[in-house]
């Protein structure tokens, strides 16, 4: 019988194994930058949302509606871009990750 108190299964593993990224190496998400236009569209949608709220607060209703419609289109297009790229990435599989690592 050990003197050491019982530790949970997760606490027995080293920290490097507990908080590991799900990717094969740390820079893999940066190497595959085909999703950056989708992220940029979502950032622009966030700006358009803020502009719509500001325009509505100051009483510019036509500008608020225009900015809200623009934000909706940008949210949909950015989400669609990311969904397509996610499906493309999953369809490729993990067989070519070693070739793309760069080191």
């Amino acid at each position: 019988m050990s003197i050491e108190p019982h530790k949970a299964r997760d606490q027995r593993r080293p920290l490097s194994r507990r908080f590991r990224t799900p990717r094969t190496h740390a820079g893999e998400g940066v190497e595959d930058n085909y999703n950056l236009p989708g992220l940029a569209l979502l950032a622009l949608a966030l700006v358009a949302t803020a502009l719509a709220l500001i325009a509505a607060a100051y009483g510019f209703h036509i500008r608020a509606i225009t900015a809200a419609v623009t934000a909706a289109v940008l949210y949909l297009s950015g989400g669609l871009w990311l969904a397509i790229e996610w499906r493309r990435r999953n369809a490729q599989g993990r067989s070519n990750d070693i070739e793309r690592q760069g080191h």
Side-chain angles (χ1 to χ4, degrees), residues 34-87:
Y34 293 117
N35 60 354
L36 287 180
L39 295 174
L41 288 172
L42 290 177
L44 289 173
L46 189 64
V47 170
T49 302
L51 290 175
L53 291 173
I54 291 170
Y58 281 108
F60 298 113
H61 301 296
I62 302 298
R63 291 180 184 172
I65 292 170
T66 304
V69 169
T70 303
V73 169
L74 287 171
Y75 278 124
L76 288 174
S77 60
L80 183 65
W81 186 286
L82 290 179
I84 290 171
E85 288 302 316
W86 179 76
R87 288 184 60 124

Side-chain angles (χ1 to χ4, degrees):
M1 188 152 141
S2 72
I3 301 173
E4 185 177 326
H6 177 70
K7 293 183 179 180
R9 173 184 258 181
D10 193 38
Q11 291 177 345
R12 284 183 273 177
R13 283 191 264 158
L15 281 177
S16 62
R17 302 276 301 174
R18 275 190 271 168
F19 302 108
R20 222 172 73 182
T21 61
R23 300 185 183 271
T24 56
H25 75 283
E28 185 178 342
V30 177
E31 289 175 5
D32 187 16
N33 58 2
Y34 293 117
N35 60 354
L36 287 180
L39 295 174
L41 288 172
L42 290 177
L44 289 173
L46 189 64
V47 170
T49 302
L51 290 175
L53 291 173
I54 291 170
Y58 281 108
F60 298 113
H61 301 296
I62 302 298
R63 291 180 184 172
I65 292 170
T66 304
V69 169
T70 303
V73 169
L74 287 171
Y75 278 124
L76 288 174
S77 60
L80 183 65
W81 186 286
L82 290 179
I84 290 171
E85 288 302 316
W86 179 76
R87 288 184 60 124
R88 180 195 61 85
R89 179 73 176 133
N90 284 343
Q92 284 179 347
R94 295 268 183 199
S95 61
N96 65 350
D97 283 346
I98 302 224
E99 298 169 0
R100 299 180 66 225
Q101 286 183 2
H103 53 277

